[in-house]
Amino acid sequence: MEYLFRAENISKAYTGHKALTDVSIQVPAGGIFGLLGPNGAGKTTLIRIINQIIAPDEGFLFYGNEKLKPGHVHRIGYLPEERGLYKKMKVGEQAMYLAQLKGVPAHKSKKLLREWFEKFDLMPWWNKKVEELSKGMAQKVQFIITVLHKPDLLIFDEPFSGFDPINVNLLKQEILKLRDEGATIIFSTHNMGSVEELCDHIALINKSEKILDGNVRDIKKEFSTNIYQLELANLKQPIEQLLDRRFELIRSTAHNGMMTARVKIAAGTDSNELLQKVIPLANVISFMELTPSMNDIFIKTVTGKYPQESSEYEVSESANDYLAE
Amino acid sequence: MNKIRIIIKREYLSRVKKRSFIVMTILGPILLAALMIGPAVIAIMSDSDYEVAIVDDTNMFYDAFSDTRNVKYTHLQTDVDSALELMRGDKFDAVLHIPEIAFQAPSSLRLFSLKSVNFNAKSQMESVLKNEYESLKLTIAGIDPEVLMAVETRININAVRMDKDGLEKTDYPEVSMGLGFVSGLLIYMFIFLFGSQVLRGVLEEKTSRIVEIIVSSVKPFQLMMGKVIGIGLVGLTQFLIWVVLTFAIVGGVRTAFPKLFQFTPTEQVHITASQSLNAEELQRQMETVQMQNTTAGQILEGLQAINFPVMILSFLFYFIGGYLLYAALFAAIGSAVDNEADTQQFMLPVTIPLLFSIVMMQTIIQNPSGPVAFWLSIIPLTSPVIMMIRIPFGVPFIDLAISAVLLILGFIFTTWLAAKIYRTGILMYGKKIDYAELWKWIRYR
């Protein structure tokens, strides 16, 4: 696989605590890479190292096949978690200033900014001071500044915090569009919903160490529990009698003549066999695999066990439906 | 380097375009010019104002009092009561009564006035009477007035400074003092005004959370230096406009009202020079000036004796060097704290050397080549102010060289130190910072 960015064996210590211990990540070109972890795990430190804001104590960084060097900042766009603008400076002037610092000449940045400002309905605010903008508008300006110089690598640190749902949606669409246009995106968050929706790859960092990484689909398969949920009507005999030792009934509830049951299938057994057993004795309304959500995987990996009362096993299909809306 | 230029440009333009900058730049020279013209105007206005009637019952002091510039004397042959009546009728401002017994009992002398008494006039009269009393007593003691005249000598040592080649030039400490004071104070003000602008600028970037966006494009060091240089240029701009405008205003007023300036230089310099002397000496000096009235010429000569190229060049050097040294420290403080209230604990050690320089000004002026002056003008934290006080008196080249080199090393050091604190500080939020913490930041790689 072709990687746009690699960090190898990065360590960073502050007096008294380690921020990163021997962390390596590989960011494939042209996808969305989720950098996950609880607060204080070291995500922001890693992101700052990638942006060359701070230097690692140990380890190497590569942009494409080159060692990371100061000139690369022009090809990276960064939206920090702690972000703001000069309050007293005019919006347009400020956006041009920040674009110039990213190496976009003034005449060019003006044209690009106009396009973006029109897209986000910000044009009337060009000559207003930033303090006159609403928070959402200021966030949009920051987003524009991040992507204006058309970087190959975009880094968003908790991009949705502080946005209202409408703007979150707008932002998501823009991020996906940027990906489709070929940009590579590193996306740091502890909001798992957006991870499942957006990310192709993830790395999970906890207590300064990377504890999990890979393709989102592979990870989900790895964490699959072989539990299936059945919805049955007109059951002719108790469900327990149907099952042999390959199938373990975890839970069943009856309601209005309907039965919902969760069954764990022993490893190596085809799920169709369960279905075949049930079909003669009941009307099968639904049959689906329960896969752990990223949230559960996150909590399981960090704490060692799945969360108690569930959000538990979310139904992956319905989750996708929900997210597609 | 190109990015530093972009940052400098923003820092500079955003401040120069501010309304407060424009107002200050215009108001400053007007205030300064008022300070320079004001005393002359006041002196003229209070001129000939104070009229004193003298009622001398002893008839001994008729010749003693002669008019001075601010005080006019009139001898009245009436008794005190009618003199007081005249005073109530606004003919006089005050009445000096010398009763019969005054020679035996000087405490019987009275000065009557309706308003509070003019201190200057009172001390003039006291001084005149004192001289008269003394010569009268000497005469009574049998000393010939002619001998007295012969004894009276006016001493005025002309200070002559020689350089190594044996060339002489007359020294005018008063002029040097004035120049030293003014330039030292200017540097002090400049460092404080614009140093704290650096602090506020850094703090603004930190609290508005824009700093992380910027340092993802430029090195923290570039951002810090860009700000320091940009604000320094704002200061230089303001300073130059002030100088030009002040001279323009003063020059304009001078050509429009030449009378205003006839006496002023003499008096002003004299008063500054005499601050540290006691009242008696002051009195005597006043008389000297009034009699000789050549001081104006002396000041001109004194100004000519000053080495102006050295003076101006070193002023610019210490102006800029001192600013850079302190601005870096101010930037470090701004980066370390979260709000302006927290700056206090770190401001103290930075401001103490500056305040100390100002406190030491008097001492330095009294002995501008002494060891205290030498050491304080070499240590980079105090040298910008102290050296400027010394330079008008003439400073050995070697002192100047050591001081300059140390100042350059000093600001390289503070900049290096500040950069270390700055790059960690700007990204640190919500943490109470103490000196131990700063020390850790300095030691990070």
Side-chain angles (χ1 to χ4, degrees):
Chain A
M1 191 180 290
E2 192 195 335
Y3 295 115
L4 182 77
F5 191 90
R6 285 176 296 142
E8 288 182 358
N9 311 104
I10 302 294
S11 293
K12 175 82 187 174
Y14 292 111
T15 20
H17 80 283
K18 287 195 148 190
L20 290 171
T21 312
D22 200 24
V23 171
S24 300
I25 59 165
Q26 289 87 32
V27 182
I32 298 182
F33 185 95
L35 192 58
L36 319 179
N39 289 328
K43 284 175 300 186
T44 299
T45 303
L46 181 58
I47 285 177
R48 283 176 179 166
I49 288 172
I50 295 173
N51 277 296
Q52 303 178 70
I53 293 171
I54 51 181
D57 295 339
E58 282 166 50
F60 301 97
L61 299 142
F62 298 92
Y63 190 97
N65 295 319
E66 295 173 71
K67 266 200 157 175
L68 189 67
K69 57 177 193 245
H72 284 132
V73 295
H74 290 175
R75 296 163 66 179
I76 300 178
Y78 174 38
L79 187 68
E81 181 178 8
E82 295 280 5
R83 52 186 180 252
L85 297 164
Y86 288 114
K87 292 195 185 67
K88 303 274 178 201
M89 203 173 173
K90 285 179 183 160
V91 177
E93 205 181 325
Q94 178 153 208
M96 281 181 65
Y97 169 65
L98 292 169
Q100 268 180 291
L101 289 183
K102 278 285 185 194
V104 186
H107 61 279
K108 213 167 145 195
S109 67
K110 193 159 199 170
K111 189 168 154 283
L112 287 171
L113 279 169
R114 276 179 189 284
E115 287 168 18
W116 276 102
F117 270 51
E118 261 152 31
K119 187 183 216 168
F120 281 177
D121 296 324
L122 285 167
M123 237 13 235
W125 303 91
W126 183 276
N127 268 325
K128 294 264 164 55
K129 283 184 181 169
V130 169
E131 58 190 354
E132 298 173 56
L133 297 187
S134 73
K135 198 176 172 196
M137 281 192 280
Q139 298 260 35
K140 285 184 195 168
V141 174
Q142 285 156 355
F143 177 80
I144 293 172
I145 290 163
T146 311
V147 302
L148 188 82
H149 59 293
K150 299 187 173 134
D152 307 318
L153 178 61
L154 281 159
I155 302 172
F156 297 111
D157 196 353
E158 296 292 354
F160 304 131
S161 69
F163 273 91
D164 61 54
I166 295 169
N167 281 323
V168 167
N169 233 5
L170 183 73
L171 205 62
K172 272 182 191 164
Q173 278 161 17
E174 287 302 330
I175 290 174
L176 290 173
K177 202 187 283 174
L178 286 164
R179 181 199 60 188
D180 295 343
E181 286 164 10
T184 305
I185 293 154
I186 296 178
F187 179 67
S188 160
T189 187
H190 49 246
N191 172 355
M192 291 304 138
S194 48
V195 172
E196 289 194 52
E197 183 183 358
L198 296 170
C199 296
D200 309 308
H201 288 77
I202 60 150
L204 178 54
I205 294 178
N206 186 39
K207 291 183 183 157
S208 90
E209 291 180 62
K210 185 185 73 180
I211 50 177
L212 180 70
D213 68 344
N215 183 296
V216 171
R217 227 173 314 129
D218 296 345
I219 289 176
K220 283 206 141 188
K221 196 175 282 173
E222 189 186 318
F223 279 79
S224 81
T225 50
N226 287 329
I227 294 175
Y228 290 79
Q229 177 165 298
L230 295 142
E231 266 191 308
L232 307 168
N234 304 324
L235 193 62
K236 293 185 182 92
Q237 61 181 97
I239 190 159
E240 287 87 349
Q241 294 179 14
L242 289 174
L243 304 174
D244 56 37
R245 57 180 184 74
R246 290 175 302 167
F247 308 107
E248 181 194 344
L249 180 69
I250 292 181
R251 191 167 88 183
S252 64
T253 48
H255 183 65
N256 282 349
M258 297 267 289
M259 156 144 297
T260 307
R262 288 180 177 184
V263 178
K264 182 168 185 158
I265 303 178
T269 310
D270 193 335
S271 58
N272 281 358
E273 290 186 35
L274 175 62
L275 205 51
Q276 279 162 0
K277 283 210 160 226
V278 175
I279 284 172
L281 299 165
N283 294 346
V284 177
I285 309 292
S286 72
F287 178 71
M288 59 196 136
E289 185 180 5
L290 295 179
T291 53
S293 67
M294 277 316 291
N295 195 46
D296 297 332
I297 294 174
F298 179 91
I299 293 172
K300 167 93 165 42
T301 323
V302 170
T303 66
K305 56 177 189 275
Y306 283 112
Q308 287 263 307
E309 219 14 75
S310 48
S311 78
E312 232 178 68
Y313 312 107
E314 274 185 30
V315 181
S316 54
E317 280 308 310
S318 75
N320 279 339
D321 286 347
Y322 162 75
L323 289 167
E325 277 168 13
Chain B
M1 279 308 102
N2 186 31
K3 287 189 180 168
I4 279 205
R5 263 221 313 276
I6 298 171
I7 295 170
I8 292 174
K9 195 174 141 199
R10 191 202 85 87
E11 296 293 337
Y12 182 82
L13 288 181
S14 70
R15 285 184 171 75
V16 170
K17 282 194 287 191
K18 259 191 208 160
R19 204 172 299 137
S20 59
F21 176 86
I22 296 168
V23 169
M24 271 308 287
T25 309
I26 295 170
L27 268 189
I30 293 175
L31 287 176
L32 266 178
L35 266 179
M36 289 166 81
I37 297 167
V41 175
I42 289 165
I44 283 186
M45 287 195 323
S46 61
D47 237 357
S48 75
D49 247 351
Y50 213 68
E51 304 240 7
V52 180
I54 298 171
V55 179
D56 184 1
D57 297 344
T58 62
N59 284 334
M60 287 161 82
F61 301 104
Y62 269 112
D63 303 327
F65 294 94
S66 51
D67 292 353
T68 61
R69 203 155 55 80
N70 294 320
V71 189
K72 301 275 180 280
Y73 297 103
T74 313
H75 294 277
L76 292 182
Q77 303 293 357
T78 59
D79 59 9
V80 185
D81 291 334
S82 39
L84 289 178
E85 202 53 50
L86 285 171
M87 181 176 79
R88 282 189 205 103
D90 240 6
K91 283 268 195 301
F92 299 104
D93 292 299
V95 174
L96 174 66
H97 182 216
I98 307 174
E100 296 266 16
I101 54 159
F103 187 64
Q104 291 77 26
S107 58
S108 62
L109 292 164
R110 290 285 183 275
L111 183 67
F112 301 96
S113 65
L114 291 176
K115 288 171 274 184
S116 64
V117 74
N118 181 322
F119 180 76
N120 183 31
K122 178 171 171 273
S123 52
Q124 267 187 40
M125 284 178 251
E126 281 167 351
S127 154
V128 168
L129 286 169
K130 181 174 176 284
N131 283 343
E132 288 299 316
Y133 269 63
E134 280 171 4
S135 52
L136 275 170
K137 282 180 180 169
L138 286 168
T139 318
I140 289 164
I143 294 164
D144 190 341
E146 289 200 2
V147 176
L148 270 179
M149 290 285 275
V151 164
E152 194 171 314
T153 323
R154 183 156 280 121
I155 303 292
N156 186 9
I157 299 176
N158 284 314
V160 176
R161 202 167 63 220
M162 297 177 67
D163 57 17
K164 290 252 165 66
D165 305 328
L167 289 172
E168 296 178 4
K169 47 186 182 179
T170 320
D171 216 6
Y172 302 95
E174 294 88 350
V175 177
S176 307
M177 271 183 207
L179 274 177
F181 254 127
V182 169
S183 39
L185 272 175
L186 274 177
I187 287 185
Y188 168 83
M189 268 173 46
F190 179 77
I191 291 176
F192 245 110
L193 277 177
F194 292 93
S196 50
Q197 280 210 28
V198 171
L199 190 153
R200 257 178 280 128
V202 172
L203 203 53
E204 181 207 354
E205 271 162 8
K206 193 176 167 181
T207 48
S208 72
R209 304 286 199 264
I210 194 178
V211 70
E212 193 159 353
I213 294 178
I214 298 178
V215 293
S216 71
S217 311
V218 305
K219 295 234 165 302
F221 181 76
Q222 291 175 313
L223 177 59
M224 187 181 95
M225 281 321 281
K227 184 172 286 296
V228 166
I229 295 170
I231 293 177
L233 289 175
V234 173
L236 274 180
T237 309
Q238 187 158 58
F239 179 72
L240 288 179
I241 295 177
W242 277 7
V243 169
V244 171
L245 275 186
T246 305
F247 276 104
I249 294 175
V250 173
V253 172
R254 179 178 298 207
T255 33
F257 310 98
K259 264 194 188 155
L260 222 51
F261 287 85
Q262 266 168 1
F263 292 101
T264 336
T266 322
E267 199 161 77
Q268 266 186 338
V269 167
H270 217 81
I271 288 164
T272 0
S274 313
Q275 264 172 355
S276 56
L277 308 175
N278 61 40
E280 221 173 275
E281 281 172 86
L282 181 105
Q283 199 62 42
R284 210 163 290 153
Q285 276 195 0
M286 296 277 272
E287 286 169 10
T288 318
V289 170
Q290 279 156 3
M291 281 173 211
Q292 295 182 339
N293 213 7
T294 58
T295 320
Q298 278 191 351
I299 287 172
L300 273 179
E301 240 179 284
L303 282 173
Q304 276 156 5
I306 302 280
N307 188 343
F308 272 101
V310 170
M311 182 80 199
I312 290 169
L313 278 180
S314 40
F315 181 78
L316 281 178
F317 176 80
Y318 285 101
F319 196 74
I320 294 166
Y323 165 75
L324 288 177
L325 180 105
Y326 278 100
L329 293 176
F330 280 113
I333 296 173
S335 73
V337 298
D338 278 348
N339 55 62
E340 209 143 354
D342 289 344
T343 58
Q344 293 311 321
Q345 57 159 332
F346 299 115
M347 283 294 279
L348 198 63
V350 175
T351 49
I352 276 180
L354 271 177
L355 287 174
F356 182 68
S357 315
I358 294 298
V359 171
M360 290 305 282
M361 272 183 143
Q362 281 285 351
T363 319
I364 302 298
I365 276 186
Q366 273 160 29
N367 189 3
S369 345
V372 178
F374 173 78
W375 286 110
L376 288 183
S377 65
I378 279 191
I379 298 167
L381 286 171
T382 50
S383 68
V385 173
I386 301 294
M387 191 51 113
M388 278 325 293
I389 302 176
R390 285 186 67 196
I391 282 174
F393 294 95
V395 175
F397 176 75
I398 184 75
D399 288 18
L400 209 56
I402 296 174
S403 164
V405 168
L406 282 183
L407 183 58
I408 291 171
L409 290 178
F411 86 67
I412 291 173
F413 174 73
T414 56
T415 307
W416 170 83
L417 192 76
K420 293 232 159 199
I421 294 174
Y422 182 86
R423 56 173 197 179
T424 308
I426 44 170
L427 300 173
M428 199 71 75
Y429 296 111
K431 199 171 172 188
K432 270 276 181 228
I433 305 302
D434 53 20
Y435 284 100
E437 188 70 30
L438 287 189
W439 177 237
K440 276 185 206 161
W441 296 358
I442 292 168
R443 289 189 352 240
Y444 287 153
R445 236 157 51 101

